[in-house]
Amino acid sequence: MAVYGLAAVFLYIVPAIVFLLPTSLVSAELASGWNGGIYKWVSEGISKPMGFLAVWCQFAMTIFYYPTLLGFVASTLAYVINPELADNGVWTALIIVVVYWTGVWVSSRGTKGIAGLASGGLIIGTLIPGIILVTLGVIFLGQGNESAAPMDADHILPTWAGLASLVLIVNNFLSYSGMEMNAVHVSSLRNPAKEFPRAMFTAMALVLMIFILPALAISWFVPAEELSLTAGIMQAFEAVFANFGLSWLTPIIGIMLVAASLGGMLTWLAGPSKGLLLISRQEGYLPPFLQKLNKNGVQQNILVTQGVVTTFIALGYALIPSVSSAYWIFSVITTQVYLIMYLLMFVAAVRLRRNQPDHPRGFRAPILVSLCGVGFAASLAALLVGFIPPSQFSNGNSGVYIFIVAGGALGLGLLVPYLFYRSRKPSWKQPDESQPDEPQPTQEVSS
């Protein structure tokens, strides 16, 4: 978002109001009334097939999320070894493959302690680098240096040059996603009706600060036309440390950022695939091969199959000329697949409020129908806008871009689960008595 300069503030606030707020409040009502996460909500609100589609999308988005996240890891790691590698597609693909399969090996040995890695990574690789970058950026401007991006009132709103100029806002929907995972904790509050909205508004303020301030700091140091979508943060650190004579800190920051990303990847590996497994064993949505567990009780076959697909996708970095373009394509496909789940969630919430008005709920979202309407419209708009090539990549072939995005998002998000559902057999059901009747597939991911 740093490519927009000061206008990034506006482009962060708008999705927070029309997407983050509705998803937070709506999922809180659903979680306080129905255990079992997104599958339970959509199954009761719409139908079981749509419930499967929702939980599938929650899992499937990670297939493109890993190449996106690890593309960032590869570019960041390049600044520790050789910055010129940051734009090397072969290097990026190699790092993705090696790191992902290492993560599969770690996850297959059990998930104990993985959540701690993500929590520690948040502090080490997100908060500390963010504070350093913003603090040095403020000092930099305070010394009278000129910002690379204009910071005057004329640049508060983004320059309008058609939808293509604002397409990067789609990535903010991915940044704000996941609140339905935290909603499972609403039943733990003493007074959900008051405490949960207060918690959500506090979280929104913190999230906005964490996103906006570093984005602005990056725009102070690196001109928009020079920014890499995967290595932009390291470009900024390299520039700021060079200005203060602290260049030796650049690789250290790079290692910290990589540690945070790897911790997050391991958490995601452990969560959504397990949720899909639990639902599939009960309802028979996946073939027995994909339902098998290893001796540690881990869904290893799902992880390995996912790894084969991830490896294939990673080759895109080597084949697509620009690493930033590949990163964006994988990022927008991730967002679109996830948004399909949110569309289903908003529809289910409205139907549950109308069809089961007396069902006990620990929290009732105010103006729920309006919230769902705004959230649905914003999600659908973001999904559709994602098919437009960003103006930042205007040199590419628009037809090829649309074909890749449509094939990835619609193929993975709709066609694959449809084929699984149509091919299901009664023998695919493998109920596991050791598992809870109403699994909560996202709870592990909330940290």
Side-chain angles (χ1 to χ4, degrees):
M1 294 305 293
V3 300
Y4 292 109
L6 186 60
V9 177
F10 174 82
L11 295 177
Y12 270 122
I13 290 176
V14 170
I17 295 172
V18 300
F19 179 74
L20 177 59
L21 184 60
T23 56
S24 301
L25 297 179
V26 170
S27 62
E29 172 167 327
L30 294 172
S32 69
W34 292 268
N35 293 327
I38 189 67
Y39 175 76
K40 183 71 170 182
W41 306 340
V42 176
S43 294
E44 292 230 359
I46 306 177
S47 67
K48 282 192 173 184
M50 290 297 101
F52 170 60
L53 176 59
V55 78
W56 168 266
C57 288
Q58 193 177 60
F59 157 76
M61 57 80 71
T62 64
I63 294 176
F64 280 93
Y65 173 72
Y66 298 132
T68 304
L69 175 66
L70 296 180
F72 166 76
V73 168
S75 293
T76 303
L77 198 58
Y79 275 79
V80 179
I81 302 172
N82 179 2
E84 293 183 2
L85 292 172
D87 293 321
N88 187 307
V90 175
W91 159 265
T92 303
L94 180 64
I95 292 299
I96 291 173
V97 172
V98 171
V99 173
Y100 178 84
W101 284 105
T102 301
V104 170
W105 178 77
V106 172
S107 295
S108 67
R109 299 173 67 86
T111 59
K112 186 177 180 180
I114 287 179
L117 291 175
S119 299
L122 170 66
I123 298 173
I124 296 172
T126 302
L127 297 182
I128 293 177
I131 291 171
I132 292 174
L133 180 63
V134 173
T135 300
L136 292 181
V138 171
I139 295 174
F140 174 80
L141 295 180
Q143 292 175 338
N145 295 295
E146 186 176 353
S147 168
M151 290 289 128
D152 54 70
D154 293 335
H155 293 85
I156 292 178
L157 297 178
T159 302
W160 176 255
L163 282 175
S165 62
L166 300 181
V167 170
L168 293 187
I169 194 176
V170 172
N171 202 48
N172 289 347
F173 284 76
L174 180 61
S175 300
Y176 290 145
S177 63
M179 290 310 297
E180 79 283 356
M181 301 174 187
N182 294 310
V184 299
H185 303 298
V186 68
S187 58
S188 302
L189 300 176
R190 289 186 297 271
N191 187 351
K194 291 184 177 180
E195 293 177 344
F196 192 81
R198 187 188 310 140
M200 286 304 99
F201 283 112
T202 303
M204 282 181 61
L206 293 172
V207 166
L208 286 171
M209 285 194 296
I210 290 173
F211 282 138
I212 290 174
L213 295 180
L216 289 178
I218 293 171
S219 71
W220 297 338
F221 293 102
V222 187
E225 61 274 11
E226 298 178 12
L227 269 172
S228 161
L229 291 192
T230 54
I233 184 69
M234 292 307 297
Q235 288 176 306
F237 274 115
E238 186 177 51
V240 70
F241 287 150
N243 181 78
F244 289 96
L246 300 171
S247 295
W248 57 273
L249 279 175
T250 302
I252 296 176
I253 289 292
I255 293 173
M256 293 169 67
L257 292 170
V258 167
S261 298
L262 295 183
M265 185 201 79
L266 288 175
T267 303
W268 278 95
L269 271 175
S273 58
K274 184 176 182 180
L276 178 65
L277 172 79
L278 296 176
I279 299 303
S280 297
R281 288 175 71 88
Q282 292 178 3
E283 303 293 341
Y285 291 132
L286 295 180
F289 172 78
L290 294 177
Q291 297 184 33
K292 288 183 179 179
L293 304 175
N294 66 9
K295 62 181 181 181
N296 296 311
V298 176
Q299 57 282 7
Q300 184 169 301
N301 285 4
I302 290 182
L303 296 179
V304 170
T305 303
Q306 184 177 1
V308 173
V309 178
T310 299
T311 300
F312 178 77
I313 295 172
L315 297 178
Y317 280 102
L319 299 177
I320 297 175
S322 167
V323 170
S324 284
S325 295
Y327 175 88
W328 172 253
I329 289 172
F330 298 148
S331 179
V332 75
I333 292 174
T334 300
T335 306
Q336 288 177 315
V337 172
Y338 210 172
L339 286 174
I340 294 173
M341 185 214 75
Y342 282 109
L343 293 175
L344 294 171
M345 186 187 80
F346 288 125
V347 172
V350 172
R351 289 174 61 89
L352 286 170
R353 176 69 77 88
R354 289 177 177 174
N355 298 337
Q356 301 183 35
D358 298 325
H359 184 89
R361 298 163 170 83
F363 171 78
R364 297 181 73 90
I367 56 172
L368 180 126
V369 174
S370 297
L371 285 173
C372 289
V374 171
F376 186 94
S379 300
L380 182 60
L383 192 154
L384 296 176
V385 168
F387 289 108
I388 302 174
S391 59
Q392 287 79 1
F393 308 129
S394 56
N395 295 330
N397 187 309
S398 298
V400 173
Y401 173 88
I402 295 173
F403 176 79
I404 295 175
V405 171
L410 302 182
L412 182 65
L414 297 177
L415 179 60
V416 174
Y418 172 78
L419 293 176
F420 274 129
Y421 185 78
R422 293 289 296 176
S423 304
R424 74 193 189 286
K425 301 175 182 178
S427 60
W428 287 10
K429 288 188 177 184
Q430 300 183 39
D432 187 348
E433 298 300 330
S434 66
Q435 299 293 350
D437 292 334
E438 295 181 331
Q440 298 193 26
T442 58
Q443 202 160 8
E444 287 188 37
V445 194
S446 60
S447 60

